[in-house]
Amino acid sequence: MTTVLPRLHNPGLLIFLRHGETDWNAEGRMQGQKDIPLNATGVEQARQNGQRLKAFLENARIDPSELDFMASPLGRTRMTMELARTEMGLAPGAYRLEERLKELTFGSWEGSTLEEIAETAPELVERRRADKWGFVPPGGGESYEMLTQRIGGWLETVDRPSVVVAHGGVFRVLRGLLEGLEKRRVPKLPVPQDVVFIWRDGRLEEI
C-alpha cells in the first residue's frame, strides 16, 4: 500500500492564501463548510496578505491581469479575496468561485471542539488521532483522503498561473499533491493565515 501521494503537475506559478481568522478558528472549533465570517484579526490578515502579494507581483514584474483569481465559495474565503484584491488596487469582485475548493466537511462535528467531542465520543477522537488521513467524521464528514480526490481533480484543470484563496485542509492536500508528500504528514502541515504561499517552478516560497 503506497504511503506517498502521486506528484501532480504544477502550473508554473500557483499562489495560495488561506482565509483570515474567524472566531471559530480562535476557539478551536471544527469549521468545515459552515459559513463563519472573518473576525477583526482575520480582516487585517487578509489586507496584509494583499499587500504582500502586490509587492511580490511588482518585484517579479508579473501583471495581475495574467493571473486566474479563484476562491472557495464560502463567505470567509470570498471576503479574504476581496480584501486582498482591494489592497492590490484591483476590482474586489473580479474573480471566480470554484466549488471544489471548499474546505473538507466535519459532518456533525462542525461547531464543536475536539475536547467537547471527547466527552461524548472518546473512541472516535482516538480513531481520528490514530489515522487523521483516513478518518471520516460522522454525519456526512470527509476524510483528508476524500478531500485529496476532490482537490486532485481540480488541480488537473489548472492550466495557467493562478491565485487561490481557500482553506487549511485544502492547502494541506494541495501541498501534498504538488510535492509528493507522505500521506501521514499531510493532515499535520502548518497553514498560518498571515502568509502568502507561492509555488514557482515547483518550489514553495512563503512571504
Side-chain angles (χ1 to χ4, degrees):
M1 180 178 176
T2 180
T3 60
V4 177
L5 289 174
R7 187 188 292 259
L8 296 188
H9 89 289
N10 188 310
L13 178 66
L14 183 59
I15 299 169
F16 185 99
L17 283 70
R18 184 183 176 190
H19 64 80
E21 184 185 84
T22 71
D23 285 345
W24 279 18
N25 288 145
E27 296 166 6
R29 298 194 179 279
M30 294 191 175
Q31 197 158 226
Q33 295 182 8
K34 294 293 187 187
D35 218 348
I36 310 303
L38 302 186
N39 60 22
T41 297
V43 168
E44 186 59 25
Q45 289 169 335
R47 287 174 173 155
Q48 291 182 2
N49 278 342
Q51 295 166 13
R52 291 185 184 98
L53 182 51
K54 180 181 181 181
F56 166 79
L57 295 177
E58 289 175 349
N59 290 338
R61 297 183 179 179
I62 297 171
D63 186 341
S65 67
E66 299 173 358
L67 303 174
D68 185 10
F69 285 78
M70 70 187 92
S72 156
L74 295 178
R76 58 189 182 270
T77 41
R78 297 200 314 269
M79 187 173 185
T80 298
M81 174 68 89
E82 291 167 17
L83 288 167
R85 285 182 60 87
T86 297
E87 292 297 322
M88 297 171 70
L90 304 174
Y95 64 96
R96 63 188 182 90
L97 301 179
E98 171 54 67
E99 280 286 326
R100 288 173 291 183
L101 291 174
K102 280 185 177 180
E103 181 64 292
L104 82 169
T105 174
F106 293 105
S108 59
W109 283 8
E110 291 188 358
S112 299
T113 66
L114 274 178
E115 293 76 13
E116 291 169 346
I117 295 165
E119 293 178 0
T120 57
E123 72 287 352
L124 292 181
V125 172
E126 184 54 40
R127 277 174 50 195
R128 179 179 184 270
R129 185 176 293 113
D131 180 20
K132 200 171 180 182
W133 169 259
F135 178 77
V136 180
E142 286 179 289
S143 65
Y144 273 92
E145 184 172 22
M146 294 162 70
L147 178 62
T148 300
Q149 295 301 313
R150 170 154 58 89
I151 297 304
W154 162 78
L155 182 59
E156 289 178 343
T157 70
V158 179
D159 58 3
R160 57 180 288 201
S162 301
V163 176
V164 173
V165 178
H167 308 270
V170 172
F171 172 86
R172 293 182 182 102
V173 300
L174 180 60
R175 183 174 179 184
L177 289 167
L178 289 173
E179 300 180 18
L181 300 180
E182 288 182 278
K183 293 176 181 178
R184 63 180 179 83
R185 283 189 57 200
V186 169
K188 301 176 183 178
L189 293 171
V191 196
Q193 290 164 302
D194 58 354
V195 171
V196 176
F197 299 93
I198 301 167
W199 282 279
R200 185 162 42 164
D201 300 322
R203 300 178 63 181
L204 178 63
E205 308 169 41
E206 299 181 11
I207 59 173

